[in-house]
Amino acid sequence: MSEDASHYAGPNRVFSGVQPSGDLHLGNYLGALKKFVALQDEMECVYCIVDLHAITVWQDPKVLAEQTRHIAAAYLASGVDPSKAIVYNQSAVRAHSELAWYFNCVARIGWLNRMTQFKDKAGKNSEKMSVGLYDYPVLQAADILAFKATHVPVGEDQKQHLELTRDIAAKFNHDFNTPNFFPLCEPLIKGPGAKVMSLRDGLSKMSKSDPSDNSRINLTDDADIIAKKIRKAKTDPGEIPGTKDGLEGRPEVANLVGIFAALSETTDEAVLAEYEGQGFGVFKPALADLAVEKLSPITDLMSRYLADPEELNRILANAADKAAEIADPIVGDVRKIIGFCGA
Ligand code: AQP
């Protein structure tokens, strides 16, 4: 598509979301939440708890609201400030679902057939998956574009979905002859922590749905559990190399070095220089101490927020009103552009 993001004249705006589909882990924190906090002083930020996405796989109705508050508490405990950023849950703002339908009529089936995350999640059971899971990237495009968001902080796993969002925006702009109505959003992916891998397999990403709890560090894990999981993390009999070349073919070691760098806000190179020649008997305890130092305050604060569910509900409801104030007029314009009677 030939359109250039730089021709969009609207304001810069950040949008991102996390599913309330289970405990957040270190990958979600480093790949998403930590970036959310850094951006809230730079641009208008809209941070959603994407409960419509969560129900693309079964969610127990008795715990969905609680899981949603859990993610809200994780946002706030990580440093997202509701007086600066809009923090709400997706189902409370109708614009998401409405725009997703319009985009279903813009996106092509061939585009969705290429989405690797659906293939990974569905495996051999794609016929038994919900239509929603297949359509997930279209809803994600609607989330972003209902706010005309220009910047989207996510982990590397979302790269393909954001390319689809750009394709949908460009096709809409082109089909309806409304150049630059939707911006072509810029993914904010780079940096340490963009792809945190499983502690048990350096080739699979750290994920909420991995059946092994030892594969991930949850934001609710206490210091002992964090230390135990890092102690048990898969490595090899070698030592920490002095340069990144020495990490070739050692994905588990590369992952631990990357986690160390992301948590200490430095580079892989600096970590390698500090620990060159050390064994894992030295490196793992240092990493465990660092992880506990960075994550424990978040875990503690989360518990305090979760102790007051009414206050979390209030924060989410207020923010949903603010989110609707931005998204409703944009979706209203889309209705007019499409040409609906009465729009
Ligand atoms: N391992 C990861 N490394 C870096 N970033 C990650 N993210 C997820 N896993 C990693 C980023 O976290 C944000 C929220 O993700 P999500 O919960 O909405 O969905 P997900 O990507 O599907 O996360 P999971 O943990 O892998 O969940 P399941 O197992 O349910 O699929 C996104 O920005 C994502 O990039």
Side-chain angles (χ1 to χ4, degrees), residues 16 64 79 94 103 122 171 176 203 222 233 276 303 313 334:
S16 196
L64 183 56
R94 302 283 155 92
F103 285 169
K171 184 162 163 46
F176 293 98
L203 298 176
D222 65 25
E276 179 174 8
S303 315
N313 289 347
V334 171

PDB file of all heavy atoms in Angstrom, residues 16 64 79 94 103 122 171 176 203 222 233 276 303 313 334:
ATOM      1  N   SER A  16      -2.921   0.514  23.370  1.00  0.00           N
ATOM      2  CA  SER A  16      -2.493  -0.882  23.500  1.00  0.00           C
ATOM      3  C   SER A  16      -3.429  -1.598  24.463  1.00  0.00           C
ATOM      4  O   SER A  16      -4.228  -0.966  25.150  1.00  0.00           O
ATOM      5  CB  SER A  16      -1.037  -0.982  23.977  1.00  0.00           C
ATOM      6  OG  SER A  16      -0.559  -2.292  23.726  1.00  0.00           O
ATOM      7  N   LEU A  64     -14.455 -13.600  35.080  1.00  0.00           N
ATOM      8  CA  LEU A  64     -13.986 -12.651  34.055  1.00  0.00           C
ATOM      9  C   LEU A  64     -13.828 -11.226  34.610  1.00  0.00           C
ATOM     10  O   LEU A  64     -12.818 -10.559  34.354  1.00  0.00           O
ATOM     11  CB  LEU A  64     -14.932 -12.673  32.838  1.00  0.00           C
ATOM     12  CG  LEU A  64     -14.520 -11.791  31.659  1.00  0.00           C
ATOM     13  CD1 LEU A  64     -13.120 -12.124  31.153  1.00  0.00           C
ATOM     14  CD2 LEU A  64     -15.528 -11.917  30.517  1.00  0.00           C
ATOM     15  N   GLY A  79       2.804   1.296  37.277  1.00  0.00           N
ATOM     16  CA  GLY A  79       3.108   2.723  37.171  1.00  0.00           C
ATOM     17  C   GLY A  79       2.223   3.480  36.196  1.00  0.00           C
ATOM     18  O   GLY A  79       2.419   4.675  35.982  1.00  0.00           O
ATOM     19  N   ARG A  94     -18.715   0.508  23.148  1.00  0.00           N
ATOM     20  CA  ARG A  94     -19.334  -0.202  22.011  1.00  0.00           C
ATOM     21  C   ARG A  94     -18.583   0.006  20.696  1.00  0.00           C
ATOM     22  O   ARG A  94     -18.720  -0.780  19.759  1.00  0.00           O
ATOM     23  CB  ARG A  94     -20.781   0.266  21.819  1.00  0.00           C
ATOM     24  CG  ARG A  94     -21.664   0.079  23.023  1.00  0.00           C
ATOM     25  CD  ARG A  94     -22.077  -1.381  23.169  1.00  0.00           C
ATOM     26  NE  ARG A  94     -22.386  -1.672  24.566  1.00  0.00           N
ATOM     27  CZ  ARG A  94     -23.585  -1.587  25.101  1.00  0.00           C
ATOM     28  NH1 ARG A  94     -24.598  -1.238  24.369  1.00  0.00           N
ATOM     29  NH2 ARG A  94     -23.778  -1.865  26.382  1.00  0.00           N
ATOM     30  N   PHE A 103     -14.843  -3.351   9.664  1.00  0.00           N
ATOM     31  CA  PHE A 103     -13.546  -3.825   9.160  1.00  0.00           C
ATOM     32  C   PHE A 103     -13.615  -5.277   8.669  1.00  0.00           C
ATOM     33  O   PHE A 103     -12.823  -5.678   7.819  1.00  0.00           O
ATOM     34  CB  PHE A 103     -12.469  -3.683  10.245  1.00  0.00           C
ATOM     35  CG  PHE A 103     -12.003  -2.262  10.456  1.00  0.00           C
ATOM     36  CD1 PHE A 103     -11.209  -1.936  11.560  1.00  0.00           C
ATOM     37  CD2 PHE A 103     -12.327  -1.244   9.559  1.00  0.00           C
ATOM     38  CE1 PHE A 103     -10.765  -0.629  11.754  1.00  0.00           C
ATOM     39  CE2 PHE A 103     -11.889   0.065   9.751  1.00  0.00           C
ATOM     40  CZ  PHE A 103     -11.109   0.365  10.857  1.00  0.00           C
ATOM     41  N   ALA A 122      -4.502 -22.353  17.281  1.00  0.00           N
ATOM     42  CA  ALA A 122      -5.491 -23.365  16.895  1.00  0.00           C
ATOM     43  C   ALA A 122      -4.836 -24.734  16.712  1.00  0.00           C
ATOM     44  O   ALA A 122      -5.460 -25.765  16.954  1.00  0.00           O
ATOM     45  CB  ALA A 122      -6.186 -22.937  15.614  1.00  0.00           C
ATOM     46  N   LYS A 171      -6.630   0.224   3.158  1.00  0.00           N
ATOM     47  CA  LYS A 171      -7.696  -0.197   2.218  1.00  0.00           C
ATOM     48  C   LYS A 171      -8.968   0.618   2.446  1.00  0.00           C
ATOM     49  O   LYS A 171      -9.629   1.023   1.495  1.00  0.00           O
ATOM     50  CB  LYS A 171      -7.972  -1.698   2.368  1.00  0.00           C
ATOM     51  CG  LYS A 171      -8.991  -2.220   1.347  1.00  0.00           C
ATOM     52  CD  LYS A 171      -8.922  -3.742   1.227  1.00  0.00           C
ATOM     53  CE  LYS A 171     -10.160  -4.342   0.558  1.00  0.00           C
ATOM     54  NZ  LYS A 171     -10.595  -3.665  -0.656  1.00  0.00           N
ATOM     55  N   PHE A 176     -12.813   4.126   0.197  1.00  0.00           N
ATOM     56  CA  PHE A 176     -13.805   5.189   0.392  1.00  0.00           C
ATOM     57  C   PHE A 176     -13.273   6.562  -0.040  1.00  0.00           C
ATOM     58  O   PHE A 176     -13.911   7.585   0.232  1.00  0.00           O
ATOM     59  CB  PHE A 176     -14.282   5.204   1.853  1.00  0.00           C
ATOM     60  CG  PHE A 176     -15.074   3.970   2.206  1.00  0.00           C
ATOM     61  CD1 PHE A 176     -14.477   2.899   2.854  1.00  0.00           C
ATOM     62  CD2 PHE A 176     -16.409   3.860   1.842  1.00  0.00           C
ATOM     63  CE1 PHE A 176     -15.192   1.749   3.144  1.00  0.00           C
ATOM     64  CE2 PHE A 176     -17.130   2.714   2.130  1.00  0.00           C
ATOM     65  CZ  PHE A 176     -16.523   1.652   2.778  1.00  0.00           C
ATOM     66  N   LEU A 203      13.019 -21.434  22.587  1.00  0.00           N
ATOM     67  CA  LEU A 203      12.477 -21.185  21.249  1.00  0.00           C
ATOM     68  C   LEU A 203      10.981 -20.865  21.278  1.00  0.00           C
ATOM     69  O   LEU A 203      10.394 -20.525  20.260  1.00  0.00           O
ATOM     70  CB  LEU A 203      12.739 -22.395  20.322  1.00  0.00           C
ATOM     71  CG  LEU A 203      14.224 -22.711  20.095  1.00  0.00           C
ATOM     72  CD1 LEU A 203      14.396 -23.965  19.255  1.00  0.00           C
ATOM     73  CD2 LEU A 203      14.940 -21.537  19.424  1.00  0.00           C
ATOM     74  N   ASP A 222       5.816 -14.945  44.408  1.00  0.00           N
ATOM     75  CA  ASP A 222       6.595 -14.312  45.487  1.00  0.00           C
ATOM     76  C   ASP A 222       8.087 -14.576  45.263  1.00  0.00           C
ATOM     77  O   ASP A 222       8.487 -15.295  44.338  1.00  0.00           O
ATOM     78  CB  ASP A 222       6.115 -14.773  46.869  1.00  0.00           C
ATOM     79  CG  ASP A 222       6.350 -16.251  47.116  1.00  0.00           C
ATOM     80  OD1 ASP A 222       7.260 -16.820  46.483  1.00  0.00           O
ATOM     81  OD2 ASP A 222       5.620 -16.841  47.946  1.00  0.00           O
ATOM     82  N   ALA A 233      15.506 -22.789  35.589  1.00  0.00           N
ATOM     83  CA  ALA A 233      15.438 -22.419  34.162  1.00  0.00           C
ATOM     84  C   ALA A 233      16.462 -23.228  33.376  1.00  0.00           C
ATOM     85  O   ALA A 233      17.586 -23.462  33.835  1.00  0.00           O
ATOM     86  CB  ALA A 233      15.709 -20.925  34.006  1.00  0.00           C
ATOM     87  N   GLU A 276      30.974 -12.135  31.991  1.00  0.00           N
ATOM     88  CA  GLU A 276      31.797 -12.985  31.124  1.00  0.00           C
ATOM     89  C   GLU A 276      32.581 -14.018  31.938  1.00  0.00           C
ATOM     90  O   GLU A 276      33.222 -13.675  32.941  1.00  0.00           O
ATOM     91  CB  GLU A 276      32.783 -12.116  30.323  1.00  0.00           C
ATOM     92  CG  GLU A 276      33.674 -12.961  29.438  1.00  0.00           C
ATOM     93  CD  GLU A 276      34.566 -12.130  28.524  1.00  0.00           C
ATOM     94  OE1 GLU A 276      34.611 -10.889  28.686  1.00  0.00           O
ATOM     95  OE2 GLU A 276      35.199 -12.742  27.647  1.00  0.00           O
ATOM     96  N   SER A 303      -1.671  -6.229  45.073  1.00  0.00           N
ATOM     97  CA  SER A 303      -2.539  -6.763  46.135  1.00  0.00           C
ATOM     98  C   SER A 303      -3.315  -5.636  46.791  1.00  0.00           C
ATOM     99  O   SER A 303      -4.495  -5.792  47.118  1.00  0.00           O
ATOM    100  CB  SER A 303      -1.742  -7.455  47.248  1.00  0.00           C
ATOM    101  OG  SER A 303      -0.787  -8.256  46.716  1.00  0.00           O
ATOM    102  N   ASN A 313     -13.341  -0.695  39.924  1.00  0.00           N
ATOM    103  CA  ASN A 313     -14.523  -0.564  39.046  1.00  0.00           C
ATOM    104  C   ASN A 313     -14.775   0.896  38.690  1.00  0.00           C
ATOM    105  O   ASN A 313     -15.108   1.223  37.551  1.00  0.00           O
ATOM    106  CB  ASN A 313     -15.777  -1.125  39.738  1.00  0.00           C
ATOM    107  CG  ASN A 313     -15.748  -2.644  39.838  1.00  0.00           C
ATOM    108  OD1 ASN A 313     -14.930  -3.290  39.190  1.00  0.00           O
ATOM    109  ND2 ASN A 313     -16.630  -3.207  40.657  1.00  0.00           N
ATOM    110  N   VAL A 334     -17.123   7.193  10.494  1.00  0.00           N
ATOM    111  CA  VAL A 334     -17.021   6.001   9.637  1.00  0.00           C
ATOM    112  C   VAL A 334     -18.396   5.660   9.064  1.00  0.00           C
ATOM    113  O   VAL A 334     -18.537   5.361   7.874  1.00  0.00           O
ATOM    114  CB  VAL A 334     -16.442   4.795  10.431  1.00  0.00           C
ATOM    115  CG1 VAL A 334     -16.530   3.506   9.616  1.00  0.00           C
ATOM    116  CG2 VAL A 334     -15.007   5.076  10.843  1.00  0.00           C
TER     117      VAL A 334
END
